[in-house]
Amino acid sequence: MSVRVEPRTVAVCLLLLALALAAGIVLIGSGDFPMTPGEVLATLLGDGTVAQEFVVLDLRLPRVLVAALVGAGLAVGGAVFQTITRNPLGSPDMLGVNQGAIVGALSVIVLFHGDATAVAAGGLVGGTLTGAAVYVFAWKRGVHGFRIVLIGIGLAAMLTAVIHYLITKANLVDATRAVVWMTGSLEGRDWTQFWPLLAVSAVLLPLVLAYGRPLRMLEMGDDAAYALGVRVERVRIVLLVAAVLLVASATAAAGPITFVALSAPQLTRRLTRSPGPNLGASALMGAAVLLVADWAATNVFGERQLPVGVVTGIVGGCYLLWLLVTERRAGRI
């Protein structure tokens, strides 16, 4: 086996890893019980007081770890979708997977009044079924990226209507709970959300990384990939299933946090200046982006803390406008 190493990509990965670790340490030390980075590190190494160990290990560390896994999962899922569709706008945010997860979660909240675990399961099932529907409806002697985008946008519009219908049918308590979940938040995340997410990520992230080379060939088109010995449909199915499950599990754990899947792969590509999906760097970028956004949501707006989904929505919306303008000037849309 041989591995191609690009120095710029390695440097970017190291910088993103350092940024994610620094943001995580600062985030752990933020809040009503402030701690310096030195105290956080000492506590993580077992030298903290009882109060510090409780705050760090029981309250804040699981939230940071969930944020890192959610960001990595969304970014890798977005990179897979964008590479397969060969479209920088081909992310789960735009193709209905997030909307399907929302419908699944809201159905549990409004129709069955389920608890947090049931809501997470509903989000996972809804996102997975939506991804399967996109693939089935886009199939016509194979799956073409352009058809995936069109079918995904259509399903997203239909599911958005279902979301509005479910909210109008809910009582006040369920509607409030649904809106809070739809915003996307890491508030209150603990080890209960972390361990299932870790299990899913430990299986799917290495699987997607192992398919990095054939995925890079798919970016050149099906004919070129066939000529290079890639089993196109098999690779595409495996990667789409893995990407949908990553995005759906991330959404189930933290709600529909928008624009991370859209922006992280594109930011990574611009930093590395390397063609291809840049899966490892995208995962680190997603984790760093979400950790920094969560810190901003809890510290920048004064005493009133915002859900992290609000921050990613504001920043991601500005990025989407910039991307649309850039693509239009380049003549690609």
Side-chain angles (χ1 to χ4, degrees), residues 95-97 100 125-139 143 147-148 151-152 155 159 244:
L95 302 184
V97 177
V125 172
T128 303
L129 291 179
T130 302
V134 170
Y135 187 86
V136 170
F137 290 141
W139 175 269
V143 174
R147 285 201 299 269
I148 292 178
I151 295 295
L155 280 177
L159 292 170
V244 167

Side-chain angles (χ1 to χ4, degrees), residues 27-36 39-40 43 49-56 59-60:
L27 185 58
I28 291 175
S30 304
D32 295 333
F33 189 90
M35 300 172 62
T36 66
E39 291 174 335
V40 172
T43 303
T49 65
V50 174
Q52 289 174 337
E53 289 182 353
F54 172 74
V55 170
V56 171
L59 299 181
R60 296 179 183 172

Side-chain angles (χ1 to χ4, degrees), residues 87-102:
N87 190 325
L89 300 177
S91 78
D93 301 317
M94 305 295 173
L95 302 184
V97 177
N98 278 10
Q99 289 82 352
I102 295 173

Side-chain angles (χ1 to χ4, degrees), residues 206-262:
L207 175 64
V208 175
L209 291 174
Y211 275 82
R213 184 171 179 272
L215 178 62
R216 187 170 183 170
M217 294 179 182
L218 283 180
E219 199 171 30
M220 299 185 293
D222 289 0
D223 293 338
Y226 274 122
L228 292 170
V230 177
R231 302 175 67 176
V232 172
E233 287 305 323
R234 176 182 175 181
V235 170
R236 186 180 284 129
I237 290 175
V238 171
L239 288 171
L240 283 176
V241 169
V244 167
L245 289 175
L246 280 171
V247 173
S249 59
T251 304
I257 297 175
T258 56
F259 290 114
V260 175
L262 174 69

Side-chain angles (χ1 to χ4, degrees), residues 70-321:
V70 168
L74 291 175
V76 170
V80 170
F81 272 97
Q82 290 174 12
T83 302
I84 289 177
T85 60
R86 286 185 283 172
N87 190 325
L89 300 177
S91 78
D93 301 317
M94 305 295 173
L95 302 184
V97 177
N98 278 10
Q99 289 82 352
I102 295 173
V103 168
L106 293 194
S107 299
V108 173
I109 293 173
V110 175
L111 302 179
F112 304 104
H113 312 287
D115 57 12
T117 302
V119 171
L124 179 61
V125 172
T128 303
L129 291 179
T130 302
V134 170
Y135 187 86
V136 170
F137 290 141
W139 175 269
K140 185 180 179 181
R141 294 189 298 274
V143 174
H144 190 274
F146 186 67
R147 285 201 299 269
I148 292 178
V149 172
L150 291 179
I151 295 295
I153 291 174
L155 280 177
M158 295 173 60
L159 292 170
T160 300
V162 176
I163 291 169
H164 293 159
Y165 171 77
L166 289 172
I167 292 178
T168 59
K169 298 300 291 183
N171 57 45
L172 182 60
V173 174
D174 288 339
T176 303
R177 184 182 172 198
V179 171
V180 170
W181 188 88
M182 287 171 54
T183 305
S185 175
L186 294 166
E187 182 68 28
R189 296 304 180 265
D190 56 21
W191 297 110
T192 304
Q193 286 83 30
F194 170 72
W195 293 117
L197 186 60
L198 177 63
V200 172
S201 301
V203 174
L204 296 179
L205 287 177
L207 175 64
V208 175
L209 291 174
Y211 275 82
R213 184 171 179 272
L215 178 62
R216 187 170 183 170
M217 294 179 182
L218 283 180
E219 199 171 30
M220 299 185 293
D222 289 0
D223 293 338
Y226 274 122
L228 292 170
V230 177
R231 302 175 67 176
V232 172
E233 287 305 323
R234 176 182 175 181
V235 170
R236 186 180 284 129
I237 290 175
V238 171
L239 288 171
L240 283 176
V241 169
V244 167
L245 289 175
L246 280 171
V247 173
S249 59
T251 304
I257 297 175
T258 56
F259 290 114
V260 175
L262 174 69
S263 60
Q266 293 300 313
L267 292 173
T268 301
R269 179 171 293 194
R270 282 164 172 77
L271 286 176
T272 61
R273 297 179 185 175
S274 174
N278 294 287
L279 295 174
S282 294
L284 293 172
M285 174 66 78
V289 165
L290 196 54
L291 287 169
V292 172
D294 194 32
W295 176 86
T298 56
N299 293 277
V300 173
F301 301 93
E303 296 182 357
R304 185 175 180 82
Q305 298 183 1
L306 295 180
V308 68
V310 174
V311 176
T312 60
I314 294 172
V315 177
C318 295
Y319 172 79
L320 177 60
L321 290 176

